[in-house]
Amino acid sequence: MGYLEELNESQGVAVKNIYGPTMVIAGAGSGKTRVLTFRIAHMIEQGVDPFNIMALTFTNKAAREMTERIGEIVGDGEARNITMGTFHSVFSRILRMNADRLGYPSNFTIYDTQDSKSLLKDIVKGFNLDDKAYKANNVLGRISSAKNNLISPEAYEKNPDIQAEDKMAKRPEMARIYKAYANRCFNAGAMDFDDLLYKTNVLLRDFPDVLNYYQQKFKYILVDEYQDTNYAQYLIVKKLAAVYENICVVGDDAQSIYSFRGANIQNILNFKKDYPDFKLFKLEQNYRSTKNIVEAANGVIARNKDQIKKTVWTDNDEGSKIKVIRTLTDNEEGKVITNKIYDKVKAEGLSFNDFAILYRTNKQSRSFEESLRKHNIPYKIYGGLSFYQRKEIKDLLSYFRLTANHNDEEAFKRIINYPKRGIGKTTLENVIIAANQYGVTPWDVISNFTQYPVAINAGTKKKMADFATMIKSFSAQLNTLDAYSLAQEIAKSSGILKELTTDKDKGPEEVERYQNIEELLSGIKAFVSNQGEEDSKSLSEFMLDVALLTDADEDKDEVKNHVTMMTIHSSKGLEFPNVYLVGLEENLFPSQMSLNSRSDLEEERRLFYVAVTRAKENCTLSYATSRFQWGNLITAEPSRFIEEIDPKFLRHESPVRGGGRSLSKRMTTQERPHQGGLNRSFTSSSLKPINKVSSKSNVKGSDTLELKVGFMVEHNRFGKGKITALEGTGADRKATIFFPRHGAKKVLLRFADLKVTDI
């Protein structure tokens, strides 16, 4: 059990106590994931059947990394037998296995936020309601809150308090909308993200045999980030653990920052009430940050009343004091921080990816974007438009969805006339109206106009019938072709690829759309290649993976030479050598909306604690004394959180104004990062050199021409290896790579996504 020697005393005790209710309170940077991983490995080493273990995380990436690490200790075979994943991914699979109990098809579609909003807009319009009073975002938030609190449409309608709230908010028809939304989703064979938890609770509540089966199957339950669980998640876990009570929750109440998503900090604070005989372990040694950062953060969070007391400490160096920068305006704040980053990179030989700019709200990114762009510093914004939310990607994914589930109404509406096939908006509305009148789906209508007559001319009916025939031909191949082969077939036969390549006057945006489709197909190819022999390689399985991606599963961990920009909420779980926490002003951070209650203010303070503890070596706080809001220049005051830090941990700096050359002039042509096309959106993937391979660069497409025998490369699955042979040309070029742990592997270079580590 050499792995236990890697743990400190507190971690070791938490890992070895594998029976009974257990709570592990893990301070920032204290090795929480390591404890959770080693605890599972230790359970298996002690004879626990991995089939009896369920581990719930908040990102798929965390689940994959933990499974790989457990596999290194106990073997890949045992690790793969653990039920590990996010709440939504684990329970979506349980729902698919028992979908018939709830009247759903096993291949039900999972609606994302965009799908849900589109459906709600359709419902509001159908009810002739004011779309300003019933904004899709607000309506969806209300429905989401109801589901997270396990309130059904029927219970919602009958609850007088809820009805009074809706009348006060001037949305008296909310109950009718909620009921219509639930019915339309059900008829479409679709669940939204909240349904994956809501319906699981219904399944376990209404079918005791199902509950008993999973109680006996999951005798050991582990939950990561327990402070972020909502009521629905809490109740599922409590039900499943009721028989054996071998439940271990890991988290940090000081990092509970997601109440706006329904997270309830009381779940972790009240764990001792649910399990009076529980064991408590505290991980208090911080391995991430300097003493100054740790102690400064401790002093601030100590002001919160609702918390589990702990004293986080570190053996790391004392480090630099936390810097505080005051600027006159928000625009000047952007310029000053940009100069600080550039000067530090030049003086210390650092990479741009050693830096993160964190802010309270996305709108604050503007001044920093402008300044970074002017000075040719590459950056990437996280929390912007996800790859899978781009139009061309959603279009192709909708073809995939309708292929797997003909009743998927949102997918149907999106692609019935894309690429254009002469089916107008009015025609589509008539089909949907008819479907609602007959209580069926739009697919049923276009598949049988005889049974469901609609006032549409014969030519248009034929176009719709041809569309249905095409989709059916795709469906016939769902179980015979792997995901990549079928995806290629759909992309070609649907006309999407042709649509994106026939335009003679293609601009940068059109080229990027085509490249995005190419990237999606490459991702599907990689999915097929990485599936084990016994794993499904079908398009349906790939779609399940895509549907369950979370924000945190985007490529935040890719090491590229760019400054990272994101909201503090998005930064949770990440760390950076240098963190710039900007916009530290009253009414901005803490938010003005948080000043009405102590609980809200304490959550803002926890958010500040999370932000500061992202920093490993240097933390800089900045604020402006004036800021533009809604076109007006307002006077701003420094945040109370700055005042709450003991002055001995702070160093106030004054920005240098005037004098010296501008940053852009100080950078020579050779010093400036390669831009590779400034017209592309800076929120997309960071820019790459063209036809050039450099140390630690990702290698794709034409870049592979520069690869040579003897290069050391890194593969996302097999790790580091050495190229021993190259063959073929162009798109068919292959490399034989020897990986010390996996032996020689032959890979197709255009899909391999290699990273050169040494030349």
Side-chain angles (χ1 to χ4, degrees):
M1 298 184 189
Y3 59 90
L4 294 177
E5 296 174 4
E6 299 179 36
L7 304 171
N8 65 32
E9 184 178 352
S10 298
Q11 292 171 337
V13 174
V15 164
K16 292 174 187 175
N17 284 270
I18 60 176
Y19 301 106
T22 303
M23 181 163 66
V24 180
I25 295 298
S30 63
K32 167 180 65 68
T33 303
R34 169 178 284 197
V35 167
L36 197 56
T37 302
F38 281 34
R39 182 183 173 92
I40 295 171
H42 190 64
M43 290 165 63
I44 296 172
E45 288 282 285
Q46 294 299 303
V48 172
D49 188 339
F51 282 103
N52 293 145
I53 300 173
M54 177 173 68
L56 299 169
T57 66
F58 270 80
T59 69
N60 294 295
K61 183 168 73 73
R64 286 193 298 269
E65 290 174 353
M66 286 174 59
T67 301
E68 289 173 7
R69 185 69 183 97
I70 294 168
E72 292 173 2
I73 299 172
V74 302
D76 289 339
E78 295 282 63
R80 292 171 70 88
N81 293 333
I82 303 166
T83 298
M84 171 106 66
T86 64
F87 280 89
H88 293 92
S89 66
V90 170
F91 297 132
S92 69
R93 294 181 189 278
I94 289 176
L95 286 170
R96 287 190 189 281
M97 293 177 66
N98 299 275
D100 59 317
R101 301 287 192 110
L102 300 173
Y104 278 84
S106 61
N107 63 340
F108 60 80
T109 297
I110 300 174
Y111 277 175
D112 63 17
T113 302
Q114 202 174 97
D115 296 320
S116 295
K117 288 181 181 178
S118 173
L119 177 55
L120 286 169
K121 287 176 183 176
D122 195 44
I123 292 170
V124 168
K125 183 178 180 181
F127 286 167
N128 294 315
L129 298 173
D130 182 357
D131 58 5
K132 292 181 180 178
Y134 292 92
K135 290 182 179 178
N137 198 51
N138 296 336
V139 173
L140 182 59
R142 187 70 168 162
I143 292 174
S144 175
S145 179
K147 288 182 181 178
N148 285 333
N149 287 287
L150 306 183
I151 300 172
S152 68
E154 293 73 25
Y156 188 101
E157 186 178 35
K158 294 176 182 177
N159 188 304
D161 293 332
I162 292 175
Q163 295 308 303
E165 287 177 8
D166 285 341
K167 286 179 182 177
M168 284 285 290
K170 298 182 179 179
R171 291 194 293 262
E173 297 293 324
M174 263 301 308
R176 188 157 69 114
I177 294 172
Y178 182 12
K179 184 178 289 186
Y181 175 76
N183 289 336
R184 292 277 286 273
C185 284
F186 181 79
N187 290 337
M191 295 188 193
D192 62 22
F193 251 52
D194 295 314
D195 280 327
L196 298 179
L197 302 178
Y198 175 76
K199 300 290 185 182
T200 299
N201 270 292
V202 172
L203 180 69
L204 300 180
R205 180 196 69 196
D206 294 351
F207 300 94
D209 60 316
V210 175
L211 173 60
N212 180 64
Y213 172 80
Y214 288 109
Q215 285 174 333
Q216 297 303 320
K217 177 176 174 59
F218 300 129
K219 297 177 182 177
Y220 299 85
I221 298 174
L222 302 97
V223 185
D224 192 15
E225 305 286 9
Y226 192 63
Q227 77 280 350
D228 293 332
T229 53
N230 60 30
Y231 178 64
Q233 291 164 327
Y234 159 80
L235 207 58
I236 293 170
V237 170
K238 194 168 188 297
K239 285 179 180 178
L240 293 176
V243 175
Y244 293 97
E245 291 197 347
N246 289 317
I247 177 172
C248 173
V249 301
V250 182
D252 182 7
D253 56 295
Q255 297 185 65
S256 178
I257 59 174
Y258 293 121
S259 66
F260 67 96
R261 294 181 185 170
N264 186 355
I265 191 174
Q266 296 304 319
N267 290 348
I268 195 166
L269 296 178
N270 292 335
F271 187 82
K272 59 186 177 184
K273 293 182 180 179
D274 291 330
Y275 306 96
D277 58 342
F278 84 113
K279 297 172 187 172
L280 173 64
F281 301 100
K282 296 181 181 180
L283 308 181
E284 297 173 303
Q285 182 175 1
N286 180 299
Y287 289 93
R288 176 188 299 152
S289 307
T290 63
K291 282 188 172 70
N292 272 318
I293 291 172
V294 168
E295 292 176 17
N298 283 348
V300 174
I301 200 64
R303 294 171 178 263
N304 276 8
K305 291 184 178 180
D306 289 337
Q307 63 174 297
I308 298 169
K309 292 294 183 182
K310 58 184 171 299
T311 304
V312 179
W313 59 277
T314 184
D315 270 339
N316 292 341
D317 293 339
E318 184 175 333
S320 302
K321 291 187 176 184
I322 294 175
K323 301 173 188 66
V324 181
I325 296 175
R326 176 178 65 88
T327 62
L328 293 178
T329 65
D330 48 342
N331 282 335
E332 184 187 35
E333 184 181 33
K335 294 173 185 176
V336 169
I337 298 303
T338 297
N339 277 275
K340 292 286 184 184
I341 292 173
Y342 174 78
D343 289 342
K344 199 167 180 65
V345 167
K346 291 297 293 178
E348 301 179 24
L350 301 177
S351 299
F352 287 117
N353 52 267
D354 290 328
F355 297 83
I357 299 174
L358 308 182
Y359 33 76
R360 180 64 179 82
T361 63
N362 274 309
K363 67 181 181 181
Q364 292 171 252
S365 70
R366 179 198 55 79
S367 64
F368 301 96
E369 276 195 84
E370 289 179 0
S371 187
L372 289 166
R373 183 177 293 190
K374 284 177 183 176
H375 298 117
N376 294 319
I377 293 179
Y379 65 90
K380 182 170 181 179
I381 295 180
Y382 292 92
L385 190 63
S386 162
F387 176 80
Y388 290 100
Q389 292 298 328
R390 293 169 186 168
K391 179 190 180 302
E392 61 278 8
I393 300 300
K394 287 276 287 185
D395 290 337
L396 186 51
L397 290 179
S398 292
Y399 270 97
F400 297 168
R401 284 167 44 177
L402 198 62
T403 296
N405 173 15
H406 296 333
N407 293 329
D408 187 335
E409 183 178 336
E410 289 308 303
F412 175 89
K413 289 191 297 186
R414 188 176 188 96
I415 61 174
I416 185 65
N417 195 40
Y418 180 79
K420 290 184 179 178
R421 48 180 64 90
I423 299 170
K425 185 177 179 181
T426 302
T427 298
L428 177 58
E429 289 176 350
N430 288 338
V431 169
I432 292 172
I433 290 170
N436 292 335
Q437 286 176 343
Y438 290 110
V440 296
T441 66
W443 176 270
D444 293 325
V445 174
I446 71 165
S447 298
N448 196 341
F449 282 116
T450 305
Q451 186 173 350
Y452 307 111
V454 186
I456 300 174
N457 65 54
T460 304
K461 285 183 179 179
K462 184 179 184 307
K463 291 171 185 174
M464 287 187 159
D466 289 344
F467 171 77
T469 300
M470 177 179 66
I471 297 297
K472 288 175 184 176
S473 72
F474 297 153
S475 300
Q477 302 174 83
L478 266 173
N479 297 319
T480 57
L481 294 181
D482 64 44
Y484 177 67
S485 300
L486 183 53
Q488 257 197 332
E489 168 67 17
I490 293 173
K492 290 177 183 176
S493 299
S494 65
I496 286 181
L497 285 182
K498 185 178 180 181
E499 175 84 4
L500 295 174
T501 55
T502 53
D503 187 355
K504 295 179 180 179
D505 300 316
K506 290 197 296 288
E509 291 184 1
E510 286 74 21
V511 171
E512 186 171 0
R513 288 193 189 105
Y514 181 82
Q515 291 173 339
N516 286 337
I517 292 292
E518 189 177 42
E519 182 68 19
L520 175 62
L521 293 174
S522 297
I524 298 174
K525 180 70 173 180
F527 164 80
V528 171
S529 300
N530 290 334
Q531 289 292 86
E533 291 184 9
E534 297 180 3
D535 296 330
S536 171
K537 299 181 180 181
S538 70
L539 190 60
S540 297
E541 188 68 19
F542 172 78
M543 289 302 295
L544 177 59
D545 271 12
V546 170
L548 295 169
L549 281 176
T550 67
D551 292 342
D553 289 315
E554 298 293 326
D555 57 352
K556 292 174 188 170
D557 59 330
E558 290 187 16
V559 180
K560 296 179 181 178
N561 195 25
H562 58 238
V563 174
T564 295
M565 297 174 62
M566 60 174 65
T567 64
I568 304 166
H569 283 100
S570 298
S571 75
K572 188 167 175 291
L574 303 178
E575 58 183 38
F576 305 91
N578 304 280
V579 167
Y580 292 85
L581 180 53
V582 301
L584 263 294
E585 297 144 32
E586 284 292 298
N587 298 323
L588 183 56
F589 192 22
S591 163
Q592 186 174 19
M593 296 175 65
S594 71
L595 303 179
N596 296 324
S597 70
R598 180 170 63 83
S599 62
D600 288 343
L601 181 59
E602 289 200 352
E603 174 144 345
E604 288 287 292
R605 188 174 286 114
R606 292 194 295 269
L607 189 60
F608 180 75
Y609 175 82
V610 166
V612 171
T613 55
R614 297 312 92 197
K616 297 168 69 175
E617 299 166 14
N618 297 286
C619 181
T620 300
L621 314 178
S622 70
Y623 67 94
T625 56
S626 61
R627 182 177 295 271
F628 273 101
Q629 286 189 4
W630 304 107
N632 298 315
L633 188 65
I634 63 165
T635 301
E637 296 180 10
S639 168
R640 69 187 68 192
F641 297 146
I642 297 177
E643 298 175 7
E644 290 177 0
I645 298 176
D646 191 317
K648 69 181 180 181
F649 299 120
L650 298 177
R651 188 177 84 206
H652 291 265
E653 294 187 350
S654 298
V656 178
R657 297 192 181 92
R661 290 181 294 167
S662 70
L663 193 155
S664 58
K665 290 180 180 177
R666 282 188 280 147
M667 296 178 75
T668 67
T669 304
Q670 288 79 16
E671 290 172 334
R672 290 174 187 166
H674 180 88
Q675 292 301 298
L678 288 174
N679 288 331
R680 292 191 62 185
S681 168
F682 275 68
T683 60
S684 62
S685 296
S686 64
L687 305 166
K688 304 172 186 173
I690 298 175
N691 291 330
K692 181 180 179 183
V693 175
S694 60
S695 179
K696 297 185 180 178
S697 66
N698 280 7
V699 185
K700 284 186 179 179
S702 59
D703 296 350
T704 64
L705 296 173
E706 302 297 317
L707 288 175
K708 294 193 172 37
V709 172
F711 275 21
M712 296 298 296
V713 296
E714 186 172 347
H715 186 273
N716 64 356
R717 181 179 178 191
F718 302 123
K720 293 181 179 179
K722 184 176 183 178
I723 297 178
T724 58
L726 291 163
E727 59 185 90
T729 58
D732 296 322
R733 197 164 191 240
K734 298 177 183 177
T736 301
I737 307 172
F738 179 78
F739 299 97
R741 292 184 56 200
H742 300 277
K745 300 285 184 183
K746 185 174 287 190
V747 298
L748 191 63
L749 288 176
R750 65 187 174 121
F751 294 124
D753 195 13
L754 299 175
K755 183 185 296 178
V756 176
T757 59
D758 191 19
I759 298 176

